[in-house]
Amino acid sequence: MTLIDPTAWPLGAWVHRQAENAPDRTALVFEGSKLGYAAFAERISRLAGGLTEVLGLERGDRIAYLGRNHPDLLTLLFAAARLGLMVVPLNWRLAPPEREAILKDASPAALVVEAMFADHVAALAAEPVPWRPIALDFSKDGWLSIDDLLVDVARPDVVGMADDPLLIVYTSGTTGQAKGAVLSQGALRWNAANSVDMHDLTAADRILTALPLFHVGGLNIQTLPALAVGAEVLLEARFDPTDLLAQIANHKPTLTVLVPTMMKALIEHPDFEKTDLSSLRQITTGSSIVPTALIEGFHARGIPVTQ
């Protein structure tokens, strides 16, 4: 049995339900490593324990994340959903002053940081700040690491409710300062239900995620819905057309979301015509006007494009 209706269970229970149904099925593939649903569920439970036992976070607290796509951002999101916490994924492409403004506005209790941003965050942390720095993929004196938060405690009860805010995504700020858009657990659950229906998404699918997870397009259109139904997610740290074509050829994904600039980069890549794209049953696109030539470029390879 697979979880077909994401609205039937609290969001914080999705991965655990799939772990009960198919513990050995692959949930995530990242940089050549696979994480099964059972192992993923255990990591979520252990991190949820650490967020409460080590950091002392309470319902309604916020945790920010500064880094490229990584499995532990998803681990953090599901752990937060179990506890009624909120996650604030920062746009790592922003200039440092813009990120600082968002951190000041969001007032997180903790900030999970990828190594490439450690120096910037360390400089900020030299001044009094309300958040505690957490190292994602490195170690630093005086900082906790993400592994320090993986404690062996009993699995916390699923307390996250549909009305609980879970995700704060900041707008682009093109006409002013970026504003935090708050998404509830219920909003993400119903979005997943719509996506499952739109994509005919099942546990047999493989989702290729190259859009950034700090954006709702990368996180919510296919990635979370895929995990709700027990599908496999091939997670790219960031978009690179050469790597993406290699992933398609080697791992045979069935679905992906590409914005027009990504479609253009793939079509213009010298390996586009010779790469086996036959596993893709659909490409989803949007976020801006999609030139007809880009749609026709994928149609010529026999791939439907959905907006």
Side-chain angles (χ1 to χ4, degrees):
M1 174 182 175
T2 57
L3 177 58
I4 301 301
D5 180 6
T7 65
W9 304 99
L11 192 148
W14 285 356
V15 173
H16 289 77
R17 293 295 299 184
Q18 293 303 335
E20 293 171 359
N21 295 332
D24 296 328
R25 182 184 295 144
T26 300
L28 297 170
V29 180
F30 180 72
E31 295 183 346
S33 296
K34 294 184 178 182
L35 184 67
Y37 271 95
F40 190 20
E42 180 184 4
R43 192 170 181 87
I44 291 167
S45 291
R46 294 181 65 193
L47 181 58
L51 294 176
T52 55
E53 298 295 324
V54 179
L55 292 182
L57 300 187
E58 299 179 350
R59 192 183 187 88
D61 283 340
R62 293 164 295 282
I63 316 155
Y65 174 91
L66 178 57
R68 298 168 300 177
N69 291 353
H70 190 280
D72 274 338
L73 174 53
L74 297 169
T75 308
L76 179 64
L77 185 73
F78 283 107
R82 298 184 73 81
L83 301 170
L85 306 175
M86 288 178 274
V87 176
V88 188
L90 301 180
N91 183 343
W92 53 266
R93 295 171 177 160
L94 294 177
E98 294 173 308
R99 296 198 293 260
E100 292 168 29
I102 290 174
L103 285 170
K104 183 177 180 180
D105 183 65
S107 298
L111 172 60
V112 179
V113 187
E114 186 184 7
M116 66 186 300
F117 303 103
D119 289 344
H120 172 59
V121 172
L124 293 178
E127 303 293 332
V129 291
W131 41 264
R132 189 169 183 177
I134 309 294
L136 177 67
D137 55 349
F138 64 102
S139 60
K140 184 174 178 63
D141 290 343
W143 289 27
L144 290 173
S145 74
I146 197 77
D147 287 342
D148 292 328
L149 303 182
L150 300 176
V151 301
D152 292 317
V153 296
R155 186 173 82 189
D157 292 335
V158 178
V159 298
M161 306 299 290
D163 291 339
D164 286 342
L166 173 61
L167 189 64
I168 305 179
V169 182
Y170 275 77
T171 62
S172 59
T174 52
T175 59
Q177 187 165 315
K179 297 176 286 294
V182 181
L183 298 177
S184 69
Q185 294 199 29
L188 297 187
R189 284 164 62 184
W190 280 106
N191 174 86
N194 289 331
S195 179
V196 169
D197 182 66
M198 170 186 171
H199 296 102
D200 292 324
L201 190 58
T202 74
D205 280 304
R206 289 191 185 91
I207 308 303
L208 178 54
T209 297
L211 280 174
L213 296 181
F214 62 69
H215 190 280
V216 291
L219 184 61
N220 292 344
I221 293 178
Q222 289 181 353
T223 306
L224 289 183
L227 296 171
V229 300
E232 181 178 308
V233 175
L234 308 168
L235 187 62
E236 293 277 274
R238 60 174 298 175
F239 172 68
D240 177 270
T242 301
D243 289 343
L244 200 73
L245 288 172
Q247 283 276 34
I248 295 171
N250 296 329
H251 292 285
K252 309 297 182 185
T254 57
L255 294 167
T256 192
V257 180
L258 304 172
V259 296
T261 53
M262 299 165 76
M263 295 171 68
K264 186 174 186 293
L266 292 177
I267 289 172
E268 294 179 350
H269 194 281
D271 293 337
F272 180 72
E273 292 296 335
K274 62 185 179 182
T275 298
D276 181 4
L277 307 178
S278 61
S279 65
L280 289 169
R281 60 179 179 83
Q282 179 179 301
I283 285 175
T284 299
T285 188
S287 84
S288 66
I289 294 173
V290 185
T292 303
L294 299 182
I295 298 173
E296 292 174 340
F298 281 91
H299 282 181
R301 296 298 317 273
I303 304 169
V305 178
T306 299
Q307 298 188 56

